[in-house]
Amino acid sequence: MAVAKVEHIKTIQRRGNLFVVSAPSGAGKSTLCRKLLNRMPDIKLSVSYTTREPRKGEVNDVDYTFVSREKFRKMIDKGEFAEWAMVHGNLYGTSIKRVKELNRRGYDIILDIDIHGAVQLRKSHEGAVYIFILPPSMEALEKRLVNRKTDSDETIRNRLDNAKAEISQYENYDYIIINDRIDKAYKELESIVLSARLRTECTDHKWIKKIIN
Ligand code: ADP
Ligand code: 5GP
């Protein structure tokens, strides 16, 4: 029997997914998303706008675009956000322009946003994949926030106070990952992305029709 011409398989296009990832602060969402962006091709983070002060090591337009409250309010008035929310006392928002641009370039997109932003997006982006990351326990969450050494005691208290309300929204998500061991949690996140890419609606129908004909 002749060997199939496998090079055609490489031409298949399976992109255009939107992955919405939420978690209580300190659960490990940034760590997991960073790993995914480094390891998987063709997936990009939509960089959010925020009024929060940059943390040590954070780079403007890479981690966030840091703007004043005045600028952020103007962007809200002009309808520039797909969603926005006040989180832990700061404003955060997803730029419609950035999402559209990444989509136009054929990338899968990750949105790292809070529970309120995810609820807003559900109304306009039904086809997105909603993923919630949980810590193994509240004690582990506190330990991680303290060990991260990026926030003051007061900020950590504020984030822990909000965590239970955030976790209670887990049913709004399609997938739950418990970030106990990082490697296991990463594998689970990668599996969700891979299986979303294999959905029939993401497949290159033209390529399949070419095989049939
Ligand atoms: P988030 O983005 O959800 O606020 P981070 O990704 O910044 O959380 O993680 C919070 C802290 O916990 C970081 O110091 C990170 O290195 C650590 N961390 C992340 N995942 C794990 C894990 N599975 N086990 C132990 N520590 C973790
Ligand atoms: P941090 O200040 O720790 O980077 O983020 C605080 C929270 O804001 C996290 O839960 C993060 O997911 C959320 N966040 C970041 N960007 C956005 C955004 O564009 N929109 C919304 N709604 N939340 C965001």
Side-chain angles (χ1 to χ4, degrees):
M1 194 179 140
V3 177
K5 277 186 159 185
V6 290
E7 67 266 24
H8 284 298
I9 290 167
K10 290 183 191 146
T11 67
I12 240 181
Q13 299 285 316
R14 287 188 181 114
R15 289 183 209 149
N17 291 291
L18 189 62
F19 298 96
V20 177
V21 187
S22 303
S25 183
K29 174 166 45 101
S30 310
T31 308
L32 286 166
C33 288
R34 223 174 292 132
K35 227 176 168 112
L36 190 73
L37 292 164
N38 286 336
R39 291 198 187 174
M40 283 198 93
D42 305 328
I43 186 157
K44 299 273 182 211
L45 178 80
S46 169
V47 177
S48 294
Y49 284 79
T50 185
T51 61
R52 162 164 87 57
E53 288 295 315
R55 291 186 188 130
K56 203 169 156 230
E58 281 184 332
V59 178
N60 193 42
D61 291 336
V62 174
D63 298 290
Y64 285 104
T65 297
F66 297 96
V67 293
S68 65
R69 277 193 180 233
E70 193 190 352
K71 160 99 179 155
F72 198 101
R73 289 277 170 208
K74 275 193 185 139
M75 291 179 75
I76 295 173
D77 292 344
K78 286 197 215 152
E80 291 184 24
F81 291 122
E83 61 72 37
W84 65 270
M86 171 82 82
V87 191
H88 312 306
N90 295 299
L91 293 162
Y92 296 81
T94 303
S95 156
I96 293 175
K97 198 167 144 194
R98 285 184 179 171
V99 171
K100 278 194 177 156
E101 178 55 19
L102 289 173
N103 194 263
R104 191 189 64 75
R105 286 160 62 195
Y107 290 113
D108 280 346
I109 303 167
I110 301 189
L111 299 183
D112 168 342
I113 64 175
D114 88 312
I115 50 166
H116 304 291
V119 167
Q120 288 175 55
L121 275 185
R122 271 267 187 210
K123 294 175 192 154
S124 51
H125 292 75
E126 269 183 19
V129 179
Y130 292 80
I131 305 165
F132 198 65
I133 295 167
L134 281 174
S137 66
M138 291 305 285
E139 290 73 28
L141 188 67
E142 181 170 3
K143 223 182 206 170
R144 285 179 194 176
L145 283 170
V146 170
N147 289 344
R148 190 168 68 180
K149 296 189 169 76
T150 53
D151 301 294
S152 66
D153 289 353
E154 192 195 338
T155 303
I156 290 177
R157 222 172 305 119
N158 182 17
R159 286 174 184 237
L160 285 171
D161 284 346
N162 288 333
K164 282 190 183 159
E166 288 168 340
I167 294 171
S168 68
Q169 298 301 309
Y170 73 96
E171 280 176 300
N172 285 333
Y173 291 80
D174 303 315
Y175 296 94
I176 307 286
I177 296 175
I178 299 169
N179 179 19
D180 188 351
R181 281 189 301 107
I182 191 78
D183 287 349
K184 177 180 147 285
Y186 175 73
K187 233 182 202 162
E188 290 171 355
L189 179 60
E190 197 179 72
S191 306
I192 294 167
V193 172
L194 285 175
S195 55
R197 284 183 172 178
L198 298 173
R199 283 184 309 185
T200 308
E201 69 253 38
C202 299
T203 299
D204 183 347
H205 296 269
K206 275 193 214 140
W207 181 84
I208 294 178
K209 292 210 169 105
K210 225 158 86 187
I211 302 183
I212 300 168
N213 301 318

